[in-house]
């Protein structure tokens, strides 16, 4: 076992400038991996305005969020994967305009089998390729210990 405050101090020493760990939590050795707990990520995305007004972008965002389905495809080498982007987009907000570029905040699902990409989301909004994409926060599943124990106990009985 490691004291959480000591662990946080140790992690802070190893981080690159601009990355600031804010808390640590004790986890069990047999607990799920961070990747298995990952549910969503928040991004700061800068996209060229290219003459598009804030009102027009607001309408595009509202239309995407109101849609029941947003067909999309992801190309990787020669493979094309078609999927519905809409359930993967949790939130999009226009946070401002700086130097001729929109600054968007996106919260996108980031699970092992269901992950949205910020560039694909910008494409669905009919925006140019982002100038920058910065992940600013990860959201993990917060399963109470008693529920994890119950689930693990039930799995052994099967």
């Amino acid at each position: 076992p490691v004291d959480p405050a000591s662990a946080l101090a140790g992690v802070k020493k190893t981080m690159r400038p601009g990355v600031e760990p804010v808390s640590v939590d004790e986890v069990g050795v047999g607990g799920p991996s961070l990747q298995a707990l990952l549910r969503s990520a928040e991004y700061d995305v800068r996209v060229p305005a290219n003459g598009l007004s804030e009102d027009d972008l607001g309408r595009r965002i509202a239309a995407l969020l109101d849609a029941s389905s947003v067909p999309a495809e992801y190309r990787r080498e020669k493979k094309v994967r078609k999927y519905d982007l809409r359930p993967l987009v949790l939130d999009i907000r226009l946070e401002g305009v700086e130097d001729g570029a929109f600054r968007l905040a996106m919260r996108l699902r980031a699970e092992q089998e269901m992950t949205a990409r910020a560039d694909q989301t910008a494409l669905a909004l009919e925006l140019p390729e982002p100038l920058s994409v910065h992940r600013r926060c990860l959201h993990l599943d917060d399963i109470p210990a008693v529920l994890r124990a119950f689930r693990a106990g039930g799995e052994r009985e099967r």
Side-chain angles (χ1 to χ4, degrees):
V2 176
D3 171 57
S6 299
L8 181 60
V11 168
K12 283 184 178 183
K13 291 178 187 175
T14 65
M15 301 307 289
R16 293 177 22 194
V19 178
E20 180 71 25
V22 293
S23 68
V24 296
D25 291 301
E26 186 174 351
V27 296
V29 175
S33 69
L34 284 177
Q35 186 63 33
L37 293 174
L38 185 60
R39 294 297 169 254
S40 65
E42 289 183 26
Y43 296 91
D44 183 38
V45 182
R46 289 188 62 242
V47 215
N50 285 8
L52 186 67
S53 74
E54 291 180 53
D55 289 340
D56 287 338
L57 177 57
R59 282 189 281 278
R60 290 182 188 188
I61 291 170
L64 188 145
L65 294 175
D66 289 343
S68 59
S69 178
V70 178
E73 60 181 42
Y74 176 70
R75 296 177 182 271
R76 187 176 203 171
E77 297 172 9
K78 293 184 180 182
K79 293 184 180 183
V80 177
R81 181 179 153 242
K82 295 183 183 227
Y83 63 100
D84 184 5
L85 178 66
R86 180 58 196 98
L88 307 179
V89 178
L90 303 174
D91 190 30
I92 304 173
R93 291 181 319 279
L94 174 59
E95 293 200 329
V97 182
E98 301 169 352
D99 302 322
F102 293 120
R103 198 165 133 243
L104 300 171
M106 297 183 185
R107 184 168 179 184
L108 307 174
R109 287 188 65 177
E111 298 180 23
Q112 290 178 338
E113 297 297 321
M114 299 174 61
T115 298
R117 295 171 45 109
D119 59 342
Q120 292 290 324
T121 306
L123 184 62
L125 291 168
E126 299 178 15
L127 296 172
E129 186 174 329
L131 299 167
S132 65
V133 175
H134 295 282
R135 186 172 49 205
R136 61 181 176 194
C137 182
L138 297 174
H139 297 271
L140 304 177
D141 195 6
D142 189 19
I143 302 171
V146 67
L147 182 55
R148 282 196 306 271
F150 174 77
R151 287 179 181 168
E155 289 173 8
R156 279 191 225 115
E157 292 175 4
R158 289 182 189 171

